[in-house]
Amino acid sequence: MVSRNVYVSADDVELFDRAASLGGGLSSAVAAGLRLFVAEREREDLMGEMKTVEVEVQTDAVATVKSFVGRRLLRYEHGEGLRRTSYRVYATAKGQLAVYRRDDPDWRALTSADENNPIREDPSTWSAQWWASGEKTLSVFADTDAMRAILPDELIAAVEAALRAPEVEALDI
C-alpha cells in the first residue's frame, strides 16, 4: 500500500474528523473527495468554451427565459413566404443538442425596391400581427436521429457537419 502524508491546518481538523466519521475512515473519505474534485475539473476542461446561454421562449402571450450551459454550433435560417424561421443549435454541457427556434417577419422583404413588393401587396402584412415575432421555442434532443421528422433535413445535415468539425481550429498565422 502506498503511503501519502497530508498536512491539515488546525482550522480543518474538525472537518477531517467529520469526514473520517462519515466515510468509514479518513483514507476512504479523502479518496472520495479527490474523486469528486478530479471529476469536476475534468468536466470543466471538457466544457471548454461552453457558456451560460439564455433564450426567451414564447408561446402565445406567455414569455419565459430559459438558461443552460452550452456552446453554439451553428445558426440556420429558412424563409417561407413572408416569414423567416431561424434556428440556433447548441451542444449542451450534458452532451445533448438544444435547438432554439424563432419565427419572425422576413424583414428583408421590406428592402425590396420593387413596386410589386409582397409586403405592400399582401393584406396579411397590413395587420400588427404580421409585424410581431411569432413563436420562440427551445427543444432538446439526445442526438441528431431524434431530430429527424421534426426539423428540416438541411439543418440536421448542418448539425452533423458541425459536430464532426473540431471545436477549435488553431491557426499559426
Side-chain angles (χ1 to χ4, degrees):
M1 182 183 303
V2 177
S3 177
R4 298 278 190 243
N5 293 326
V6 177
Y7 297 96
V8 179
S9 72
D11 294 342
D12 291 331
V13 169
E14 190 175 313
L15 172 66
F16 273 70
D17 289 342
R18 182 75 177 131
S21 170
L22 292 171
L26 186 56
S27 180
S28 60
V30 168
L34 288 173
R35 278 189 210 94
L36 290 172
F37 175 79
V38 169
E40 177 65 20
R41 292 301 168 118
E42 287 176 345
R43 187 182 70 79
E44 287 174 4
D45 288 345
L46 287 175
M47 284 176 46
E49 290 298 314
M50 292 203 176
K51 297 181 170 102
T52 299
V53 177
E54 288 186 355
V55 294
E56 181 181 290
V57 175
Q58 181 170 353
T59 306
D60 299 324
V62 179
T64 59
V65 174
K66 305 284 183 180
S67 175
F68 61 93
V69 175
R71 71 176 176 89
R72 190 160 104 178
L73 292 176
L74 62 91
R75 179 182 175 143
Y76 173 85
E77 289 191 13
H78 172 72
E80 193 171 303
L82 296 173
R83 303 295 292 182
R84 197 140 195 88
T85 304
S86 66
Y87 299 87
R88 281 183 269 161
V89 181
Y90 300 87
T92 71
K94 292 192 176 182
Q96 300 189 80
L97 298 166
V99 180
Y100 180 62
R101 181 184 165 278
R102 183 181 170 129
D103 173 61
D104 290 303
D106 188 354
W107 298 111
R108 289 176 242 193
L110 288 174
T111 63
S112 171
D114 182 7
E115 63 182 59
N116 293 324
N117 187 318
I119 298 292
R120 298 183 195 108
E121 300 298 323
D122 188 342
S124 70
T125 65
W126 302 346
S127 72
Q129 186 176 8
W130 180 83
W131 296 88
S133 291
E135 277 191 338
K136 300 172 190 171
T137 62
L138 180 66
S139 303
V140 181
F141 300 94
D143 53 31
T144 54
D145 288 336
M147 295 177 169
R148 300 201 193 287
I150 298 170
L151 298 174
D153 291 337
E154 299 85 19
L155 173 61
I156 296 168
V159 170
E160 290 172 336
L163 289 170
R164 285 191 302 272
E167 246 181 82
V168 175
E169 184 178 347
L171 303 176
D172 185 19
I173 53 176

